[in-house]
Amino acid sequence: MNAVTILDQDRIVSASDDHNLMISALGDDGLWRTVRTLNGHSSSVTAIAVFDHDRIVSASDDHTLRIWAPGKNSQWYSLHTSKGIPVRSPLSPSSIATASSAPQ
């Protein structure tokens, strides 16, 4: 596991070298169970952040940032970085908002 963050009061999201994000929910018995797997990266997922309580942003060694809509079990957007530069920086909603509002 490379990263984990809180999605909401009963769910967490984790990222790992298997190229996936896993959403886990806390059951009534107090145990965490995987309820959804988000796949689309082609290399290790190195960082994740929750943005707008509705979207997850993931960074990967495959040179992409991906925005996910976890409720729809789908990728919402993909941003490719320059070749040869894997995305490894920690993510935060403020840095994502700054990056997305930068002129193209």
Side-chain angles (χ1 to χ4, degrees):
M1 186 179 306
N2 296 328
V4 64
T5 192
I6 297 170
L7 187 55
D8 58 33
Q9 89 178 41
D10 295 323
R11 296 181 302 164
I12 59 172
V13 60
S14 60
S16 65
D17 290 333
D18 69 359
H19 312 178
N20 296 318
L21 283 80
M22 304 289 251
I23 298 174
S24 299
L26 185 60
D28 293 337
D29 58 3
L31 299 176
W32 291 96
R33 291 186 175 77
T34 300
V35 294
R36 183 163 291 138
T37 301
L38 302 173
N39 54 35
H41 284 290
S42 60
S43 191
S44 296
V45 182
T46 57
I48 49 177
V50 175
F51 184 64
D52 272 353
H53 305 289
D54 221 5
R55 289 174 275 177
I56 299 168
V57 180
S58 59
S60 171
D61 283 343
D62 67 4
H63 315 287
T64 64
L65 286 171
R66 295 179 190 265
I67 302 174
W68 307 86
K72 297 179 181 175
N73 199 28
S74 65
Q75 179 180 293
W76 183 66
Y77 187 79
S78 178
L79 172 70
H80 296 268
T81 64
S82 299
K83 283 217 178 248
I85 304 173
V87 182
R88 292 180 176 244
S89 301
L91 300 171
S92 71
S94 60
S95 66
I96 295 163
T98 302
S100 65
S101 62
Q104 307 243 349

